[in-house]
C-alpha cells in the first residue's frame, strides 16, 4: 500500500483552466480520500483571472462533485476540509517578479498555518505553454537566491504537455530548466503513463516468461496503435491549430505506448533504467525524411457533419482556426525501429479527432502459422493471433486465438481470452493524475518524461512536420464518424494488412474448412 506523501504546498499555475477543474482538483480530493495526501499539504491556485477565493473554492467544489472518481459518494466532511485548504492567488502576469514575491510570502504564511514544516513545494505548470519559460525563470531565480529561499526538503516542477513544439524549442526549454533546477526536480507529465494498462504493459512483458521469446520481428508480423477520439477540436482551436494531431498525440502519448511495447528489458525497475530504454527506442526509429512523407505518413482533416453528440461545420470553420489551415486532425504513420529486435517490422500508428469511436489500444499481430494443415483446406486464411492491449474504453488485455466452432464441420473462428481490469481485480483504478501527482510528491520519476527523452521524440517528429509544411497537398478530408481518410487504409492495406477496426460494425468471419 502506498503511504501518505510528505507535506507540501501544491501551487497550480493556470488554476482557472480546464485541466485544473477536470483533473487536478478532483485528483487532489481523491488523494485525500485515499489518505495519500498529507494533512499538512495545501493548494494555492495561481491564475490571471480576477476571482475571489470564495469563487475559486466554489469552482473547486463543483469540479470535485462533477469530475471526481468517487463523485457518487462524496464524503462531505472530507470535501469541506479539502476546500478549506485551497486558496486562490491572482497575478496579472505569470512572469511578474512582484507576483512571485507576493506568492512566496503567501506560501510562507500558509506553511505556518498548515504546519508544512519542511516548506516543500510542488509547482504544477498547467498554463498555456508560452507561460512555462517565464514561470520557470522566476521560480528558478528565487530558488537560487538564498535570501528568498527557505531551505526545503524538495522543490519540484510538474510540467504539463506540450513540452516544446519541436526539437529546438524542447532543447531551449530544457536549457532554461537546467539553468536553475536539476533533472531530479523536474516531472514532465504525460498522463498516459499514469494509466493502469500502460503500466501493466511492463508487468505483462517482464513479469511473464511467455512473451519475451516471441517478442520480436521473427514472430510478430506488425504492431498497430490506435488512439481515436469522438470529440472535435472545434472548441480548442486556439491551441490545436498550432499543434495538430502529430504534436498533440503522437510525439507524446502514442510514442510512450510504442516505447513501452518496443523497449528492451530495463536493468532495473527504476526511473533511470526505464527511461534509458525508452529513449533508446526513439533514437532507433528510422527517420521519415521530409521527401518521404507521402509514402510513410497520412494526414487528414475532418469536414462538416455530425457524429454522436457533436456537430461541426468542419475543422477549418471553427473559431480560432486560421483561414485555409493545413493543421491535421488525423495522423497515421508507418514507422520502423532499426534495432535487432524489430528489424524490418512495421509499427502502424494512427490518431484523430471525430473518429468512429473512442478507443486507445495496441494490437500486436503475430505471424500466421506456416502454410499447412488448416490453411490448405480453409476457404480463407486462418486469422492470425492478436494480443490486444486496451487502454480505453475498458482497460484490459485480450488474446485472440482461433477456436473450432462446435459441430461436425471443421469451422474455425477467432475467439478472445479476455482480461478486464474491472472484473479481474474488482477495484477501481486511480485516475492517471492521482497516481502522477502522488509520484511527484514522493519523488518517483519513473512515469515522467526525461529531458533527453522528450528531445529524442521531437527529433522523429520534426522532419515529418517539415515535409508536411513544405507539401503542396492539403490534409485529406474525412467525414466525422469515419475511421479517417482513405489513404490511412491504403497505408496498411498496401502491405497486405489491415487495421483491427476499419469499418463500422465489422466482425471477424467464421472460417469454414472442409476436412
Ligand atoms: C491530451 C490531448 O493530451 O490527451 C487531447 O491534448 C486529447 O487532444 C487527450 O483529447 C486524450 O486523452 P485521453 O486520456 O482522453 O485519451
Amino acid at each position: 500500500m502506498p503511504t501518505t506523501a510528505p507535506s507540501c504546498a501544491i501551487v497550480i499555475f493556470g488554476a482557472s483552466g480546464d485541466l485544473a477543474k477536470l483533473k487536478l482538483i478532483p485528483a487532489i480530493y481523491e488523494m485525500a480520500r485515499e489518505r495519500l495526501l498529507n494533512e499538512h499539504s495545501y493548494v494555492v491556485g495561481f491564475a490571471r483571472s480576477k476571482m475571489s477565493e470564495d469563487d475559486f473554492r466554489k469552482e473547486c467544489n463543483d469540479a470535485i462533485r462533477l469530475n471526481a472518481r468517487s463523485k457518487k459518494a462524496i464524503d462531505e466532511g472530507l470535501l469541506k476540509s479539502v476546500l478549506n485548504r485551497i486558496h486562490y492567488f491572482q497575478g496579472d502576469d505569470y512572469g511578474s517578479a512582484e507576483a512571485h514575491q507576493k506568492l512566496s510570502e503567501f506560501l510562507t504564511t500558509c506553511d505556518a498555518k498548515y504546519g508544512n514544516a519542511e516548506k516543500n513545494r510542488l509547482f504544477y505548470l498547467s498554463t498555456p505553454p508560452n507561460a512555462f519559460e517565464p514561470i520557470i525563470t522566476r521560480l528558478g531565480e528565487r530558488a537560487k537566491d538564498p535570501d528568498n529561499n527557505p531551505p526545503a526538503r524538495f522543490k519540484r516542477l510538474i510540467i504539463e504537455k506540450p513540452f516544446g513544439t519541436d526539437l529546438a524549442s524542447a532543447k531551449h526549454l530544457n536549457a532554461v530548466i537546467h539553468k536553475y533546477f536539476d533533472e531530479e526536480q523536474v516531472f514532465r507529465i504525460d498522463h498516459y503513463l499514469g494509466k493502469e494498462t500502460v503500466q501493466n504493459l511492463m508487468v505483462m512483458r517482464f513479469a511473464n516468461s511467455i512473451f519475451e521469446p516471441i517478442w520480436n520481428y521473427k514472430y510478430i508480423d506488425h504492431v498497430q496503435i490506435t488512439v481515436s477520439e469522438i470529440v472535435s477540436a472545434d472548441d480548442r482551436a486556439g491551441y490545436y491549430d498550432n499543434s495538430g494531431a502529430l504534436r498533440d498525440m503522437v510525439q507524446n502519448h502514442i510514442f510512450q505506448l510504442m516505447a513501452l511495447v518496443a523497449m528492451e528489458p530495463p536493468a532495473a525497475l527504476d526511473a533511470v533504467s526505464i527511461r534509458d530504454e525508452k529513449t533508446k527506442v526513439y533514437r532507433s526509429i528510422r527517420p521519415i525524411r521530409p521527401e518521404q512523407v507521402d509514402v510513410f505518413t497520412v494526414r487528414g482533416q475532418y469536414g462538416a457533419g455530425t457524429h454522436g453528440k457533436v456537430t461541426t461545420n468542419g475543422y477549418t470553420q471553427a473559431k480560432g482556426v486560421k483561414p485555409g489551415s493545413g493543421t491535421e486532425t488525423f495522423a497515421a504513420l508507418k514507422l520502423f525501429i532499426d534495432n535487432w529486435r524489430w528489424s524490418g517490422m512495421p509499427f502502424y500508428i494512427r490518431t484523430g479527432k471525430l473518429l468512429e469511436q473512442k478507443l486507445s489500444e495496441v494490437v500486436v499481430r503475430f505471424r500466421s502459422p506456416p502454410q499447412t494443415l488448416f490453411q490448405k483446406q480453409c476457404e480463407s486464411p486462418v486469422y492470425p493471433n492478436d494480443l490486444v492491449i486496451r487502454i480505453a474504453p475498458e482497460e484490459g488485455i485480450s488474446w485472440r486465438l482461433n477456436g473450432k466452432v462446435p459441430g461436425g464441420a471443421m469451422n474455425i473462428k477467432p475467439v478472445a481470452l479476455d482480461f478486464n481490469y474491472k472484473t479481474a481485480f474488482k477495484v477501481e483504478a486511480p485516475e492517471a493524475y492521482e497516481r502522477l501527482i502522488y509520484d511527484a510528491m514522493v519523488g518517483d520519476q519513473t512515469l515522467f518524461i526525461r529531458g533527453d527523452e522528450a528531445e529524442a521524440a521531437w527529433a522523429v517528429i520534426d522532419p515529418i512536420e517539415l515535409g508536411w509544411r513544405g507539401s503542396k497537398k492539403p490534409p485529406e478530408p474525412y467525414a466525422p464518424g469515419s475511421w479517417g481518410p482513405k489513404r490511412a487504409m491504403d497505408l496498411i492495406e498496401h502491405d497486405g494488412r489491415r487495421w483491427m477496426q476499419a469499418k463500422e460494425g465489422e466482425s471477424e468471419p467464421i472460417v469454414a474448412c472442409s476436412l
Side-chain angles (χ1 to χ4, degrees):
M1 273 297 280
T3 51
T4 307
S7 75
C8 62
I10 308 158
V11 182
I12 303 175
F13 292 97
S16 59
D18 282 348
L19 187 73
K21 284 181 213 126
L22 281 172
K23 301 288 181 189
L24 307 185
I25 297 292
I28 287 166
Y29 167 79
E30 290 299 340
M31 288 168 64
R33 195 172 66 87
E34 302 274 0
R35 300 184 195 287
L36 299 176
L37 188 73
N38 193 293
E39 56 177 340
H40 301 294
S41 292
Y42 60 92
V43 178
V44 175
F46 182 118
R48 288 176 302 189
S49 312
K50 294 220 164 23
M51 195 179 350
S52 71
E53 191 151 273
D54 277 353
D55 287 345
F56 183 60
R57 284 188 179 164
K58 203 168 156 305
E59 278 195 358
C60 293
N61 177 39
D62 295 347
I64 292 167
R65 289 183 190 281
L66 209 61
N67 303 317
R69 183 158 55 92
S70 64
K71 64 186 172 193
K72 290 197 183 119
I74 291 288
D75 177 338
E76 296 296 335
L78 177 73
L79 175 59
K80 204 165 161 224
S81 91
V82 170
L83 291 173
N84 282 340
R85 285 188 276 158
I86 295 183
H87 296 276
Y88 187 67
F89 191 92
Q90 194 261 331
D92 290 333
D93 181 356
Y94 285 116
S96 147
E98 196 193 331
H100 279 260
Q101 169 68 32
K102 285 194 180 140
L103 172 67
S104 174
E105 288 161 11
F106 184 60
L107 294 180
T108 306
T109 318
C110 290
D111 287 340
K113 178 171 171 191
Y114 295 106
N116 178 29
E118 292 177 324
K119 301 184 177 17
N120 294 329
R121 304 277 182 262
L122 188 62
F123 296 109
Y124 198 121
L125 277 61
S126 165
T127 60
N130 60 6
F132 291 171
E133 185 171 342
I135 296 174
I136 292 164
T137 306
R138 287 291 169 240
L139 293 177
E141 284 167 355
R142 297 194 70 77
K144 288 262 179 228
D145 175 356
D147 293 339
N148 283 320
N149 188 25
R153 192 164 113 205
F154 67 76
K155 281 202 172 82
R156 296 183 183 135
L157 305 176
I158 301 186
I159 306 178
E160 260 301 327
K161 66 177 276 272
F163 191 82
T165 51
D166 55 14
L167 178 57
S169 55
K171 276 189 169 166
H172 174 74
L173 201 49
N174 274 332
V176 172
I177 293 169
H178 292 143
K179 195 165 159 197
Y180 305 106
F181 297 95
D182 297 331
E183 183 61 28
E184 288 66 40
Q185 294 174 278
V186 189
F187 294 73
R188 296 172 196 79
I189 232 169
D190 183 318
H191 76 279
Y192 266 55
L193 289 178
K195 296 186 188 235
E196 283 290 331
T197 327
V198 177
Q199 294 161 47
N200 196 32
L201 244 165
M202 261 189 298
V203 174
M204 190 201 77
R205 283 195 58 197
F206 304 128
N208 295 297
S209 57
I210 58 170
F211 294 110
E212 184 52 26
I214 54 171
W215 207 253
N216 57 55
Y217 75 94
K218 290 181 197 148
Y219 294 92
I220 296 175
D221 179 75
H222 72 277
V223 172
Q224 46 179 276
I225 303 178
T226 297
V227 179
S228 58
E229 296 185 274
I230 51 174
V231 293
S232 81
D234 285 8
D235 48 5
R236 300 168 68 209
Y239 153 75
Y240 199 85
D241 206 38
N242 293 315
S243 170
L246 190 67
R247 290 172 169 151
D248 184 48
M249 296 294 286
V250 177
Q251 187 270 348
N252 36 73
H253 307 324
I254 295 190
F255 272 10
Q256 286 298 323
L257 294 177
M258 185 168 150
L260 290 169
V261 170
M263 72 184 192
E264 294 302 314
L269 278 183
D270 58 32
V272 174
S273 313
I274 291 173
R275 299 193 301 177
D276 278 352
E277 294 307 332
K278 284 196 293 163
T279 308
K280 279 190 215 158
V281 172
Y282 300 134
R283 294 199 180 125
S284 310
I285 295 177
R286 188 186 303 168
I288 297 178
R289 293 194 305 274
E291 64 276 18
Q292 296 176 310
V293 289
D294 285 344
V295 182
F296 293 106
T297 78
V298 177
R299 57 186 178 138
Q301 202 179 57
Y302 58 79
T306 297
H307 180 49
K309 292 183 186 145
V310 184
T311 295
T312 175
N313 294 325
Y315 176 73
T316 49
Q317 304 306 308
K319 197 168 153 253
V321 173
K322 292 179 282 299
S325 168
T327 298
E328 77 288 352
T329 59
F330 175 97
L333 311 180
K334 175 177 166 182
L335 294 167
F336 291 93
I337 297 174
D338 282 336
N339 62 17
W340 279 45
R341 185 185 289 272
W342 300 116
S343 172
M345 195 213 83
F347 286 76
Y348 300 94
I349 64 184
R350 63 177 174 169
T351 183
K353 301 284 184 201
L354 266 183
L355 296 182
E356 209 249 0
Q357 52 175 278
K358 165 90 182 155
L359 185 76
S360 300
E361 71 178 17
V362 177
V363 178
V364 179
R365 177 153 295 172
F366 287 84
R367 287 177 185 266
S368 296
Q371 297 291 323
T372 53
L373 292 176
F374 300 106
Q375 216 81 7
K376 285 193 188 136
Q377 281 114 349
C378 292
E379 282 169 13
S380 54
V382 173
Y383 211 79
N385 299 135
D386 289 322
L387 178 67
V388 181
I389 300 146
R390 180 164 289 181
I391 296 115
E394 287 277 288
E395 296 199 63
I397 293 178
S398 168
W399 263 113
R400 208 159 60 157
L401 309 172
N402 290 306
K404 180 183 171 300
V405 180
M410 180 55 86
N411 288 336
I412 296 177
K413 192 177 180 193
V415 287
L417 299 185
D418 281 330
F419 152 57
N420 176 301
Y421 248 95
K422 265 202 191 127
T423 47
F425 290 114
K426 299 193 174 49
V427 288
E428 213 186 328
E431 272 278 315
Y433 279 92
E434 294 169 38
R435 169 70 199 257
L436 294 174
I437 296 173
Y438 175 79
D439 281 3
M441 284 178 180
V442 297
D444 183 349
Q445 294 182 300
T446 312
L447 300 178
F448 293 85
I449 318 287
R450 204 168 58 191
D452 59 339
E453 190 184 346
E455 291 179 14
W458 279 121
V460 180
I461 297 295
D462 274 10
I464 302 174
E465 285 285 350
L466 199 67
W468 283 356
R469 304 300 151 229
S471 160
K472 298 222 164 32
K473 284 190 212 155
E476 201 182 320
Y478 64 92
S482 67
W483 278 106
K486 179 172 175 306
R487 279 199 56 235
M489 299 299 151
D490 299 343
L491 182 77
I492 189 165
E493 286 174 9
H494 278 170
D495 296 344
R497 300 171 171 121
R498 61 194 291 282
W499 295 107
M500 181 95 159
Q501 280 81 15
K503 292 192 190 105
E504 202 183 340
E506 205 180 42
S507 65
E508 295 305 335
I510 293 186
V511 182
C513 303
S514 53
L515 283 189

